[in-house]
Amino acid sequence: MESGNSFYELFPDAKNFSQTKMDIFKSAIQLFAKSGYSNTSTNQIAKTAGISEALIFRYFKNKKGILQAIIDPIANNILPDVLREFSREILHRQTANLNQFLNLVVNNRIKFFKANFPVIKIYISEILYDDSIRKQVLNAVPRDVYQDFNDEINYLKQNNAIIQWDNNQIFRFIFSNIFGYLVSHYVVFPNQEWNEKVEVSNLIDFLARGLDPVK
Amino acid sequence: MESGNSFYELFPDAKNFSQTKMDIFKSAIQLFAKSGYSNTSTNQIAKTAGISEALIFRYFKNKKGILQAIIDPIANNILPDVLREFSREILHRQTANLNQFLNLVVNNRIKFFKANFPVIKIYISEILYDDSIRKQVLNAVPRDVYQDFNDEINYLKQNNAIIQWDNNQIFRFIFSNIFGYLVSHYVVFPNQEWNEKVEVSNLIDFLARGLDPVK
Amino acid sequence: MESGNSFYELFPDAKNFSQTKMDIFKSAIQLFAKSGYSNTSTNQIAKTAGISEALIFRYFKNKKGILQAIIDPIANNILPDVLREFSREILHRQTANLNQFLNLVVNNRIKFFKANFPVIKIYISEILYDDSIRKQVLNAVPRDVYQDFNDEINYLKQNNAIIQWDNNQIFRFIFSNIFGYLVSHYVVFPNQEWNEKVEVSNLIDFLARGLDPVK
Amino acid sequence: MESGNSFYELFPDAKNFSQTKMDIFKSAIQLFAKSGYSNTSTNQIAKTAGISEALIFRYFKNKKGILQAIIDPIANNILPDVLREFSREILHRQTANLNQFLNLVVNNRIKFFKANFPVIKIYISEILYDDSIRKQVLNAVPRDVYQDFNDEINYLKQNNAIIQWDNNQIFRFIFSNIFGYLVSHYVVFPNQEWNEKVEVSNLIDFLARGLDPVK
DNA sequence: TATGAATGAGCCTTCATTCAT
DNA sequence: AATGAATGAAGGCTCATTCAT
């Protein structure tokens, strides 16, 4: 997977944005990520975008409308795409090598996360308090993707390449460790230096050992 | 330390709170956890507590003062306690049994988290955007506790009871998995049922295997 | 005149004040003088007096009531008394010596002003904005005193001891210079040192020469 | 300097004020002068100006900001100008005629005061209680002007045209009498008629005689 | 398209005052 | 006599949003 470095991959609709709308959009992302949605005023967005405050409301219905323009694509397009790709990668390779599988997944996700950190940060904070957004996440996992993922894990299990635990939990272990790695480095200690190569390698090693079927 | 169910363990100062102050305090926790600090008005807090808005400011200096009364104890008391306990448990037992150690820590933390979920949720969301609160976390780890913790990991290493990785990263693995377990169950999928016993047992197993020194 | 050093001379009613009422009263004077009536809260008064805020309203009807208790005596008793004394001093002495007259008046007023500076400052600021207080001042000059004063100036005129100007204006010259001397030293430049003896002597000299009938 | 009747002479910055900002500004002056700064609410200002309360804060940073827009020009421009004029008048004329000098200064100041009475009233009341404003007055006298003024008085002294008193005190005598004249007529007895020509003439005469070097 | 002007609603906070004890 | 608890009213100020141009 050529992971999410491109802005338009993340926001396909944004291709049709005028320059001005784009300025507003990007300013909002930047400010929401820095201070949070509630702590960002339309006035600040306008100033950062270099346009008048009133203009915001020509391009977006609401202040909330900007937030949704940021968040909706993730739940509706990006997340399903990512997951679809996630399973396709594995399926295509038909590999039963756990280590290789984890290597792929982890690095992929980390790249994606790093490339889209601001938007993800906005997403996280909104998930905490907005029920409707939380529901979007659940619905964002398409049924077929879910099936694919299960198939793959099952395939690994059949090949005795992964531990015989509940598939959901396996997924959560993988996800938690990737997410924990990222959050601790990018959110909690953003100013601290670290040796990424070693840590990621250890992370994969750790997962591989934890999920290894052999006692 | 018999961790986490009691309200007064979390907020030792609250023992001296009058009924009214407690009403305000609990209403604030409830509302902040539900909607976030910024989206909660002092007017709402007053109504929920069943008192007049003005009264809030007799018991707390500021709206921000309420938030701090919620957050400070965690950074100043709870977090140091947890970490101290974390290392003491090992010291007292003089054991280098990784599995036993993890069992203790994990279960303890989960109980604590479940009991204090609302407050922790508030904490998480503020950490995202408030630098000063983020700094509090860093300073919340007392130097001696940090030393103790390192000594213990080193002790485990000497006894070949844990993998030879950077101590900080080892801590992050443990923390990430506990935290990931909790967040996925309590924050992301709060309405979904699951077999806690099995999952926690697996979680410990997973950690133990991942941190096992034997390849 | 044994000028206004005594508190009870200024506030005869205060003799009947209980200790607590007196504490409130004095605290109010002190705070009103320092920050102004509007910028002083009943809370501050209570704290300064070392009593509870509620108690203020047992001893005074209102916050405004405290101000009136401070201001009324001046207009109703003190000012008339002072003026009465003012003329009596001169009349009794039956002097036609301008210099001696001024000496007496100036020093008297300065002593009075210095002794009662806080109250006078409150008075000044209220006179600026409160019509009813301004009216009190006008009515504070009793008709007979006014007559006495005029008689004396006339007497000085007959003896060719003072210039032949309108009596009111002569009074204003005297008053302005005394007042100007005090305000500049005590209100505008309260932290600056000065040689009082010389300045007062010059002030009298200045007035004497300005009002001297001889060209 | 053709002193004092024009609004824009007093507030040069006001030339750039929009109609609305001017409405707010003038309403504030009117209300502050009538009731004092503390007793005037932004709500009242808005109503008097015929605009919404929120609009005030688009044109002025603060409520305090309005006060400063009223007060600052006096300390920063008017006062230095007046003092500069004060000394320049004498310099240019190369005269040591005290009477002529006083005539000029007094009349000029009186015109100025009358034209700008409300603003001056605001100024007076704030000087009583606001330390920072009091300090502004001190700093409002530029060093060179202060030097010029002293030079001039010294020049008059050398020509034996003025009495040999401390320069500061001489200034205070002049200022006190002008100020006293104005306050008594405009503040204390605003409704009383008087013969201005005669009184001002006497005022100058009085000063001239009081400061005359000849005993 | 773009803006400056304007506002209603709401927010946090203070304050004088009342009441039960 | 004295207080702590409590509040209604108002104050300054911010903010998202509308409107005329």
Side-chain angles (χ1 to χ4, degrees):
Chain A
M1 170 187 180
E2 255 318 284
S3 167
N5 217 316
S6 147
F7 184 80
Y8 294 109
E9 183 188 346
L10 204 59
F11 301 108
D13 292 348
K15 271 180 195 151
N16 306 323
F17 284 9
S18 72
Q19 182 59 45
T20 306
K21 184 164 189 179
M22 187 60 96
D23 289 346
I24 297 170
F25 192 64
K26 287 191 167 172
S27 302
I29 290 180
Q30 174 192 333
L31 291 168
F32 289 171
K34 186 180 150 227
S35 318
Y37 171 76
S38 296
N39 302 315
T40 301
S41 70
T42 50
N43 180 27
Q44 285 173 69
I45 298 174
K47 271 187 186 143
T48 305
I51 48 98
S52 80
E53 209 175 344
L55 201 53
I56 291 175
F57 297 90
R58 185 165 291 277
Y59 288 106
F60 299 90
K61 193 194 168 200
N62 267 351
K63 188 190 168 192
K64 194 97 193 175
I66 315 178
L67 181 63
Q68 270 162 353
I70 297 171
I71 277 179
D72 285 358
I74 303 190
N76 298 336
N77 306 321
I78 309 308
L79 215 66
D81 281 2
V82 163
L83 291 171
R84 198 166 278 121
E85 209 175 353
F86 182 84
S87 66
R88 202 183 312 133
E89 283 294 334
I90 308 162
L91 287 173
H92 283 177
R93 302 190 182 245
Q94 292 287 357
T95 180
N97 183 320
L98 178 60
N99 223 305
Q100 193 180 348
F101 161 64
L102 288 169
N103 223 308
L104 224 97
V105 171
V106 169
N107 279 305
N108 227 336
R109 286 316 88 206
I110 285 179
K111 249 205 270 177
F112 177 80
F113 188 101
K114 279 164 65 180
N116 304 296
F117 175 59
V119 178
I120 290 170
K121 195 174 163 195
I122 296 169
Y123 207 67
I124 293 172
S125 92
E126 291 309 311
I127 258 185
L128 286 172
Y129 298 122
D130 195 321
D131 274 349
S132 68
I133 289 176
R134 206 153 39 219
K135 274 179 195 149
Q136 268 184 327
V137 182
L138 298 176
N139 300 333
V141 186
R143 221 143 265 292
D144 57 335
V145 169
Y146 186 72
Q147 190 55 47
D148 283 358
F149 171 75
N150 273 317
D151 287 352
E152 172 57 20
I153 301 287
N154 291 336
Y155 177 74
L156 285 166
K157 281 178 178 172
Q158 280 161 29
N159 286 279
N160 207 31
I162 202 168
I163 200 165
Q164 302 289 333
W165 283 341
D166 175 63
N167 289 2
N168 287 323
Q169 198 179 12
I170 290 175
F171 175 74
R172 274 202 305 276
F173 280 137
I174 298 171
F175 182 81
S176 289
N177 279 282
I178 298 175
F179 195 76
Y181 167 81
L182 294 164
V183 166
S184 61
H185 283 310
Y186 289 93
V187 181
V188 183
F189 304 100
N191 300 318
Q192 205 162 296
E193 301 260 325
W194 78 98
N195 187 331
E196 186 168 39
K197 262 197 187 152
V198 172
E199 297 230 348
V200 170
S201 159
N202 287 352
L203 170 56
I204 291 165
D205 200 13
F206 173 74
L207 280 169
R209 293 141 61 80
L211 297 175
D212 195 287
V214 185
K215 186 201 128 76
Chain B
M1 176 184 178
E2 254 314 284
S3 169
N5 215 316
S6 147
F7 183 80
Y8 294 109
E9 182 191 346
L10 201 58
F11 301 109
D13 291 348
K15 269 178 196 151
N16 306 322
F17 285 8
S18 72
Q19 183 59 44
T20 305
K21 182 164 189 179
M22 189 59 98
D23 289 346
I24 297 170
F25 193 63
K26 288 192 167 169
S27 302
I29 290 180
Q30 173 191 334
L31 291 167
F32 289 171
K34 185 179 149 228
S35 319
Y37 171 75
S38 296
N39 301 314
T40 302
S41 72
T42 50
N43 183 22
Q44 283 173 67
I45 297 173
K47 272 182 185 146
T48 304
I51 48 97
S52 80
E53 207 176 344
L55 200 52
I56 292 176
F57 298 91
R58 199 158 276 282
Y59 289 105
F60 298 90
K61 195 194 168 202
N62 268 352
K63 189 191 168 192
K64 193 96 194 180
I66 314 177
L67 181 63
Q68 271 163 351
I70 298 170
I71 277 180
D72 284 357
I74 303 189
N76 299 335
N77 306 322
I78 307 306
L79 213 67
D81 279 2
V82 163
L83 293 171
R84 198 167 276 119
E85 166 201 15
F86 185 85
S87 65
R88 199 185 313 135
E89 283 296 337
I90 310 165
L91 274 172
H92 284 176
R93 304 192 177 246
Q94 292 288 356
T95 178
N97 184 318
L98 180 59
N99 224 306
Q100 193 178 353
F101 160 63
L102 288 170
N103 224 311
L104 226 105
V105 171
V106 169
N107 278 305
N108 240 345
R109 285 316 92 205
I110 287 178
K111 250 204 273 174
F112 176 81
F113 188 101
K114 280 164 64 179
N116 304 296
F117 175 58
V119 177
I120 289 171
K121 195 174 161 196
I122 296 169
Y123 205 66
I124 294 172
S125 88
E126 290 309 311
I127 259 187
L128 285 173
Y129 298 121
D130 194 321
D131 274 349
S132 68
I133 289 176
R134 216 167 16 230
K135 275 180 196 148
Q136 258 188 331
V137 182
L138 298 176
N139 301 333
V141 186
R143 222 142 265 293
D144 58 333
V145 169
Y146 186 73
Q147 191 56 48
D148 283 358
F149 168 74
N150 274 315
D151 288 352
E152 280 321 302
I153 300 288
N154 292 337
Y155 176 73
L156 285 167
K157 282 178 178 172
Q158 280 160 29
N159 287 277
N160 208 31
I162 202 165
I163 200 163
Q164 301 290 333
W165 283 342
D166 175 64
N167 290 3
N168 288 323
Q169 198 179 13
I170 290 176
F171 176 76
R172 274 203 305 278
F173 281 137
I174 298 171
F175 183 81
S176 289
N177 279 282
I178 298 176
F179 196 76
Y181 167 82
L182 294 163
V183 167
S184 60
H185 283 310
Y186 289 93
V187 181
V188 184
F189 305 100
N191 301 317
Q192 204 163 298
E193 300 261 325
W194 76 98
N195 187 331
E196 186 168 39
K197 261 196 187 152
V198 172
E199 296 229 349
V200 170
S201 159
N202 287 351
L203 170 56
I204 291 165
D205 200 14
F206 173 75
L207 280 169
R209 292 143 58 84
L211 297 175
D212 196 285
V214 184
K215 188 194 129 82
Chain C
M1 171 190 176
E2 254 318 284
S3 168
N5 216 317
S6 146
F7 185 79
Y8 295 109
E9 183 189 346
L10 204 58
F11 302 107
D13 292 349
K15 271 179 195 150
N16 305 323
F17 284 8
S18 73
Q19 182 59 44
T20 305
K21 183 163 188 178
M22 186 60 96
D23 289 347
I24 297 170
F25 192 65
K26 287 192 167 172
S27 303
I29 290 180
Q30 172 191 334
L31 291 167
F32 289 171
K34 186 180 150 228
S35 318
Y37 171 76
S38 296
N39 303 315
T40 302
S41 70
T42 50
N43 181 26
Q44 284 173 68
I45 297 173
K47 272 187 184 141
T48 305
I51 49 98
S52 79
E53 209 175 344
L55 202 52
I56 292 177
F57 298 89
R58 185 164 291 278
Y59 288 106
F60 299 90
K61 192 195 168 202
N62 267 351
K63 189 191 167 192
K64 194 95 193 177
I66 314 177
L67 182 62
Q68 270 161 354
I70 297 170
I71 277 179
D72 285 357
I74 302 189
N76 299 336
N77 307 321
I78 308 307
L79 215 66
D81 281 2
V82 162
L83 292 171
R84 197 166 278 118
E85 208 176 353
F86 183 84
S87 66
R88 202 184 309 131
E89 283 293 336
I90 308 161
L91 287 173
H92 283 176
R93 303 195 180 243
Q94 291 287 357
T95 177
N97 183 318
L98 179 58
N99 223 306
Q100 193 179 349
F101 160 64
L102 289 169
N103 223 309
L104 224 97
V105 172
V106 169
N107 279 305
N108 227 338
R109 286 316 90 203
I110 287 179
K111 249 205 272 175
F112 177 80
F113 187 101
K114 280 164 65 179
N116 304 296
F117 175 59
V119 177
I120 290 171
K121 195 174 162 194
I122 296 169
Y123 206 69
I124 293 172
S125 91
E126 291 309 311
I127 258 186
L128 286 172
Y129 297 122
D130 195 321
D131 275 348
S132 68
I133 289 176
R134 205 154 38 220
K135 276 180 195 145
Q136 267 184 327
V137 181
L138 298 176
N139 301 333
V141 186
R143 222 143 265 293
D144 57 334
V145 169
Y146 186 72
Q147 191 54 48
D148 283 358
F149 171 74
N150 274 315
D151 288 352
E152 172 56 20
I153 301 288
N154 291 337
Y155 177 72
L156 285 166
K157 280 178 180 173
Q158 279 159 30
N159 287 278
N160 206 30
I162 203 168
I163 201 164
Q164 301 290 333
W165 284 341
D166 175 63
N167 288 3
N168 286 323
Q169 197 179 12
I170 290 176
F171 175 75
R172 275 202 305 277
F173 280 138
I174 299 172
F175 182 81
S176 290
N177 279 283
I178 298 175
F179 196 76
Y181 167 82
L182 293 163
V183 166
S184 60
H185 283 310
Y186 288 93
V187 181
V188 183
F189 305 101
N191 300 319
Q192 205 163 298
E193 301 260 326
W194 77 98
N195 187 331
E196 186 167 40
K197 261 195 188 153
V198 172
E199 296 229 350
V200 170
S201 159
N202 287 351
L203 170 56
I204 292 164
D205 200 11
F206 173 75
L207 281 169
R209 293 142 59 81
L211 297 175
D212 194 285
V214 185
K215 186 196 127 77
Chain D
M1 177 183 178
E2 254 316 284
S3 169
N5 215 317
S6 148
F7 183 79
Y8 295 109
E9 183 190 346
L10 200 59
F11 302 109
D13 291 349
K15 270 181 195 149
N16 306 322
F17 284 10
S18 71
Q19 183 59 46
T20 305
K21 182 162 189 180
M22 187 61 96
D23 289 347
I24 297 170
F25 192 63
K26 289 193 166 169
S27 302
I29 290 180
Q30 172 192 334
L31 291 168
F32 289 171
K34 184 179 150 228
S35 319
Y37 171 76
S38 296
N39 302 314
T40 302
S41 72
T42 50
N43 182 22
Q44 283 174 66
I45 297 173
K47 274 183 184 146
T48 304
I51 47 99
S52 80
E53 206 177 344
L55 200 52
I56 291 177
F57 299 92
R58 199 159 277 282
Y59 289 105
F60 299 91
K61 195 193 168 201
N62 268 351
K63 188 191 168 192
K64 194 99 194 177
I66 315 178
L67 181 63
Q68 271 163 351
I70 297 171
I71 276 179
D72 284 357
I74 303 190
N76 299 335
N77 305 322
I78 308 307
L79 215 67
D81 280 2
V82 163
L83 293 171
R84 199 166 276 123
E85 166 200 14
F86 187 83
S87 65
R88 200 187 311 136
E89 282 297 335
I90 308 163
L91 274 173
H92 282 177
R93 304 191 178 245
Q94 292 288 358
T95 175
N97 183 320
L98 179 60
N99 223 304
Q100 194 179 349
F101 160 63
L102 288 170
N103 223 310
L104 227 105
V105 170
V106 169
N107 278 306
N108 239 346
R109 285 315 91 206
I110 287 178
K111 250 204 271 174
F112 176 80
F113 188 101
K114 280 163 65 179
N116 305 295
F117 175 57
V119 177
I120 290 170
K121 194 174 161 195
I122 296 169
Y123 206 66
I124 294 172
S125 89
E126 290 309 310
I127 258 186
L128 285 172
Y129 298 122
D130 193 321
D131 274 348
S132 68
I133 289 177
R134 222 178 359 242
K135 274 178 196 149
Q136 259 187 332
V137 182
L138 298 176
N139 300 334
V141 186
R143 223 141 265 293
D144 58 334
V145 169
Y146 186 73
Q147 191 55 49
D148 283 359
F149 169 75
N150 274 315
D151 288 351
E152 280 320 302
I153 301 287
N154 292 338
Y155 177 73
L156 286 167
K157 282 178 178 171
Q158 279 159 30
N159 286 278
N160 208 32
I162 203 167
I163 200 164
Q164 302 290 333
W165 283 343
D166 176 64
N167 290 1
N168 287 324
Q169 199 180 12
I170 291 175
F171 176 76
R172 275 203 305 277
F173 280 138
I174 298 171
F175 182 82
S176 289
N177 279 282
I178 298 176
F179 195 76
Y181 167 82
L182 293 162
V183 166
S184 60
H185 283 310
Y186 289 93
V187 182
V188 184
F189 305 100
N191 300 318
Q192 205 163 298
E193 300 261 326
W194 77 99
N195 187 329
E196 185 167 41
K197 262 197 188 151
V198 172
E199 296 229 351
V200 170
S201 160
N202 286 352
L203 170 56
I204 291 164
D205 200 14
F206 173 74
L207 281 169
R209 293 142 60 83
L211 297 175
D212 195 286
V214 185
K215 187 196 129 82

